[in-house]
Amino acid sequence: MSKQSKFLVISILILGLVFVLVYYGINLTSNLGKSKAEVTSENAGKQLSNLYEDISVTTAEPVKGQIDLDPIDVAASLPDISKFPITVNSTTDQFVEIFSSTEKSGTGVDGWLTEVATEFNNAGIEVDGKPASVKIRNIASGTATDYIKTGKYVPDAFTPSNELWGKMAEASGVKTQLIAPRLVGNVPGIVIAKAKYDALVDKYGSVNVKTVTEAIANNEFSMGYTDPFASSTGLNFLVTALHTFDNSDSLSDKAVQGFEKFQANVPFIASTTLQMRDAAKSGMLDGFVLEYQTFINAAELKSGYVFTPFGVRHDSPLFALGDLPQEKIDIIKKFAEFVTQDNYQQIAKDKGFNQLEEYKSELAVMDGATLTSAQKLWKEKKNGSKPIAAVFVTDISGSMDGEPLVRLKESLLKGQKYLGRDNSIGLVSYSSDVSIDVPIGKYDAIQQSLFVGAVNNLQSGGGTATFDGIIVALKMLQDQLLVDPNMKPVIFVLSDGETNEGHSLNDIKELVEIYKVPIYTIGYNANIKALQSISSINEAASINADTDDVVYKIGNLLNVQM
């Protein structure tokens, strides 16, 4: 090779090296002074923009709809009572139907009342010389109370987890008679990781609701609890917390201010106990609420967690409801006497009940009106100073044609009544392509009218590009956060099945994790595993709602999250 050729090669190599150094120097210095989180956020923003540009997105013409100003009709949203299983059927013409909370009227360790009621029906017990029996319906206490309060379906008797629900039923105008204050013993509690429990004891001297709420308010403790409209433990925790803020008046300004400070640092409110337990397994929470009977039967919790009782005991009282004939009252009384016999109480103990008997209720049972006011306060104040910005992502693919799309529209139109006015909402629909039907805006009368109009105009057809719809919603929310960084972003996906077009879960999973946006999924006769994989990224709920009960379930979900 000639000297001239060698010089040319060396020159090219030097120029290449200079280019590389300059390129990497620019990239390195562009991140100087920035935190790792800032760099990650910038990279996520670029990735999101690139994904968004790959999608065919249109913005629909705004269409206003007629808004419904009538109050929420809970009775109309409740599904037929047959949705809730009969775990013990009556065996005689003379019988009573009893609503029972789920921890005792299911199967296995949750089947104590199921077993004992079956024994009662086989015992040949008579009332007024006629054979008598019971019918047990397995239904959560909060849902059961909705049926009773609204008059949609009122059984002969009701045994919720605690006495609070009976008080609320009574306050609604339903005649209630306490037949037995206790059928079986149970206790609600805060379940805390042992290391965190020890740290709280070191700082506060003891662990109870007062010290826990103080630690949460000081951002020293991360805890979740369940929906006080649906969960016995959640309702109990709410009223106990309010009482600790002001033990003379749980609804005073002092109590409200204490609750707002505490609630501002609560990262997670679960719709169900199952969702709460799943979140706990992820390690994202230092503590959460649970009944002792569930705790003692959960092998994964017993070794690494400490259980601290609180509030009113969960002793499964038994109420007679309405103006019953005397023979029905007598059956209910005989049933209470039967199930409280020593041999049946021992069976209960073997299933995790009748433990922690030394614990006495630290809170007097409030009247129903106060409990209802406490729920209302929670609804108004639970988001504190961080209003929600939510985008509803709706599947309008061809498989949603007919009844699924009809019910999706109905659930959105009725469910939106649960949205708080301080929040903002938007609507996206997708099939093979994606449409921004309603840009994010404050949920005032105009936005509500646009939302109603867009929902009414939804039409089905095409493939299912679910993750394209989620990408568009993420982009809308990130743009909204640039305008108002104080908002809390949320996505609700309503679909009937798996994605068959567009991007995949792997394309967006890391983005969703970085942005920490919870994605709640509602399935319409759906492949629930596909939807659960989306919601599990940030510990959001996935609801498997068929066309009969989706209106009620989505109403409950929006009530909790919005």
Side-chain angles (χ1 to χ4, degrees):
M1 181 182 291
S2 67
K3 289 183 179 181
Q4 189 175 12
S5 298
K6 287 182 179 179
F7 178 77
L8 181 61
V9 170
I10 292 170
S11 298
I12 292 171
L13 289 173
I14 291 173
L15 284 171
L17 180 61
V18 170
F19 175 79
V20 170
L21 290 172
V22 169
Y23 175 81
Y24 282 102
I26 290 171
N27 278 275
L28 287 170
T29 56
S30 68
N31 289 331
L32 286 176
K34 296 179 182 177
S35 68
K36 183 178 178 181
E38 286 174 324
V39 174
T40 301
S41 179
E42 286 180 2
N43 292 339
K46 293 175 184 176
Q47 184 182 350
L48 179 58
S49 294
N50 290 336
L51 289 172
Y52 184 86
E53 289 172 4
D54 286 341
I55 301 168
S56 175
V57 184
T58 59
T59 301
E61 287 293 324
V63 178
K64 288 188 177 181
Q66 187 69 37
I67 63 176
D68 179 6
L69 297 177
D70 292 335
I72 296 168
D73 188 348
V74 176
S77 70
L78 287 164
D80 187 87
I81 195 62
S82 61
K83 290 294 299 180
F84 302 93
I86 299 294
T87 53
V88 178
N89 223 325
S90 55
T91 55
T92 61
D93 292 336
Q94 183 177 234
F95 69 92
V96 294
E97 179 177 351
I98 304 172
F99 277 4
S100 170
S101 54
T102 56
E103 78 280 1
K104 60 181 183 284
S105 60
T107 59
V109 294
D110 296 329
W112 170 75
L113 194 64
T114 304
E115 295 177 20
V116 180
T118 301
E119 291 284 334
F120 178 84
N121 286 355
N122 292 334
I125 291 172
E126 294 186 353
V127 171
D128 291 339
K130 299 177 184 177
S133 62
V134 296
K135 176 193 287 187
I136 305 296
R137 192 180 295 275
N138 176 288
I139 182 169
S141 299
T143 303
T145 304
D146 280 343
Y147 278 94
I148 294 165
K149 286 169 58 178
T150 62
K152 175 99 176 208
Y153 192 97
V154 181
D156 302 306
F158 179 31
T159 173
S161 298
N162 63 40
E163 198 174 341
L164 304 178
W165 301 109
K167 291 292 185 182
M168 294 180 71
E170 182 180 29
S172 71
V174 176
K175 181 180 178 181
T176 63
Q177 179 183 346
L178 182 62
I179 300 296
R182 168 173 168 157
L183 295 185
V184 67
N186 205 357
V187 175
I190 305 171
V191 178
I192 303 173
K194 192 174 186 314
K196 200 67 180 183
Y197 180 89
D198 293 340
L200 290 174
V201 171
D202 288 344
K203 178 164 185 177
Y204 294 94
S206 63
V207 175
N208 51 46
V209 172
K210 182 175 176 56
T211 56
V212 164
T213 54
E214 186 175 344
I216 293 171
N218 293 333
N219 209 22
E220 300 166 344
F221 185 71
S222 176
M223 178 182 149
Y225 62 95
T226 42
D227 173 13
F229 280 83
S231 162
S232 297
T233 311
L235 177 61
N236 202 342
F237 181 78
L238 169 65
V239 296
T240 304
L242 288 170
H243 180 76
T244 65
F245 301 136
D246 187 346
N247 57 22
S248 62
D249 182 0
S250 298
L251 300 174
S252 69
D253 289 342
K254 178 182 177 183
V256 172
Q257 289 168 6
F259 175 76
E260 287 184 301
K261 184 179 179 183
F262 146 79
Q263 185 66 25
N265 288 322
V266 172
F268 187 69
I269 298 172
S271 298
T272 65
T273 299
L274 180 61
Q275 184 195 353
M276 181 63 68
R277 283 181 61 181
D278 288 343
K281 289 176 186 177
S282 73
M284 68 175 284
L285 300 174
D286 298 322
F288 52 97
V289 299
L290 206 63
E291 287 181 321
Y292 189 77
Q293 183 264 346
T294 304
F295 172 77
I296 200 67
N297 284 304
E300 73 274 14
L301 298 178
K302 285 189 290 185
S303 60
Y305 291 83
V306 179
F307 184 94
T308 301
F310 71 83
V312 176
R313 285 185 61 92
H314 284 198
D315 285 342
S316 290
L318 179 62
F319 299 92
L321 301 175
D323 292 311
L324 298 178
Q326 188 59 46
E327 58 266 25
K328 290 210 170 194
I329 295 291
D330 291 342
I331 295 173
I332 298 169
K333 287 180 177 179
K334 280 187 177 290
F335 181 68
E337 292 169 3
F338 185 88
V339 304
T340 51
Q341 294 178 83
D342 289 346
N343 56 324
Y344 297 124
Q345 291 298 302
Q346 182 57 50
I347 292 173
K349 191 167 186 176
D350 294 341
K351 293 181 183 295
F353 294 101
N354 295 336
Q355 313 279 339
L356 304 184
E357 295 292 79
E358 71 281 0
Y359 176 74
K360 307 298 179 186
S361 294
E362 61 184 11
L363 185 70
V365 177
M366 298 178 178
D367 64 85
T370 302
L371 291 167
T372 300
S373 295
Q375 286 179 323
K376 183 180 179 182
L377 168 67
W378 177 82
K379 173 66 177 174
E380 293 173 350
K381 302 293 185 180
K382 64 183 174 64
N383 292 327
S385 60
K386 288 184 75 70
I388 302 293
V391 176
F392 292 85
V393 180
T394 58
D395 180 355
I396 56 169
S397 61
S399 59
M400 287 290 290
D401 191 41
E403 185 69 9
L405 185 61
V406 170
R407 294 297 275 177
L408 180 147
K409 290 183 179 183
E410 183 184 6
S411 58
L412 282 175
L413 294 175
K414 291 184 177 178
Q416 50 99 20
K417 288 190 174 187
Y418 290 90
L419 307 181
R421 292 293 178 181
D422 290 335
N423 299 320
S424 297
I425 65 168
L427 178 70
V428 165
S429 61
Y430 69 90
S431 52
S432 299
D433 300 321
V434 182
S435 171
I436 299 175
D437 299 306
V438 182
I440 297 172
K442 187 78 172 288
Y443 185 62
D444 54 19
I446 294 175
Q447 188 74 354
Q448 184 181 5
S449 176
L450 292 170
F451 186 83
V452 169
V455 169
N456 283 328
N457 272 5
L458 294 176
Q459 295 181 352
S460 58
T464 308
T466 302
F467 297 104
D468 287 2
I470 293 174
I471 290 167
V472 173
L474 274 174
K475 184 70 166 61
M476 291 168 65
L477 288 168
Q478 294 311 306
D479 290 345
Q480 184 68 24
L481 285 169
L482 293 176
V483 178
D484 188 353
N486 193 44
M487 303 199 84
K488 178 182 175 182
V490 177
I491 293 173
F492 296 93
V493 177
L494 300 90
S495 177
D496 75 336
E498 294 185 68
T499 297
N500 56 30
E501 292 190 24
H503 291 88
S504 69
L505 176 61
N506 288 337
D507 293 333
I508 72 161
K509 186 176 181 180
E510 185 180 9
L511 273 178
V512 176
E513 289 172 341
I514 291 171
Y515 286 132
K516 294 182 170 59
V517 177
I519 302 176
Y520 295 88
T521 56
I522 299 97
Y524 294 74
N525 297 322
N527 180 337
I528 196 64
K529 288 185 178 179
L531 297 179
Q532 285 173 340
S533 65
I534 301 171
S535 294
S536 64
I537 298 172
N538 286 321
E539 306 300 339
S542 181
I543 295 175
N544 187 13
D546 63 25
T547 53
D548 292 330
D549 61 0
V550 68
V551 174
Y552 181 69
K553 284 188 174 180
I554 197 172
N556 284 345
L557 177 64
L558 296 180
N559 191 49
V560 174
Q561 304 303 334
M562 294 290 288

